[in-house]
Amino acid sequence: MKDNGSRLLLVGYESGNQSILNNIKKGIRLDGARRFTRDAKDLGITDPRDVILAFPARRGRPSTRR
């Protein structure tokens, strides 16, 4: 992709919590998202991640957990 001119890739991970991703049926696993991010970085493609803090399905704990 970079060889064809791509420099920026917008990615919507929605959450860094696997149970939230499962609840919203995102269809991704955190390990895959991390691998994708690492690979994009290694290829020199900027990857500004989109993360929703305090997704409505999350209750009780603050959204500061990593």
Side-chain angles (χ1 to χ4, degrees), residues 31-53:
D31 57 340
R34 287 184 190 108
R35 183 173 51 250
F36 174 83
T37 301
R38 186 175 50 248
D39 291 348
K41 182 180 175 186
D42 290 346
L43 292 171
I45 297 174
T46 304
D47 170 33
R49 285 156 286 251
D50 232 356
V51 178
I52 296 172
L53 295 178

Side-chain angles (χ1 to χ4, degrees), residues 9-52:
L9 188 61
L10 299 176
V11 180
Y13 294 126
E14 317 309 343
S15 178
N17 181 301
Q18 188 62 55
S19 51
I20 296 293
L21 293 173
N22 295 345
N23 271 348
I24 63 173
K25 297 174 177 43
K26 186 68 179 172
I28 64 169
R29 295 187 41 87
L30 288 176
D31 57 340
R34 287 184 190 108
R35 183 173 51 250
F36 174 83
T37 301
R38 186 175 50 248
D39 291 348
K41 182 180 175 186
D42 290 346
L43 292 171
I45 297 174
T46 304
D47 170 33
R49 285 156 286 251
D50 232 356
V51 178
I52 296 172

Side-chain angles (χ1 to χ4, degrees), residues 52-54 58 60-66:
I52 296 172
L53 295 178
R58 185 178 197 141
R61 296 192 68 169
S63 298
T64 57
R65 196 169 121 196
R66 290 182 177 214

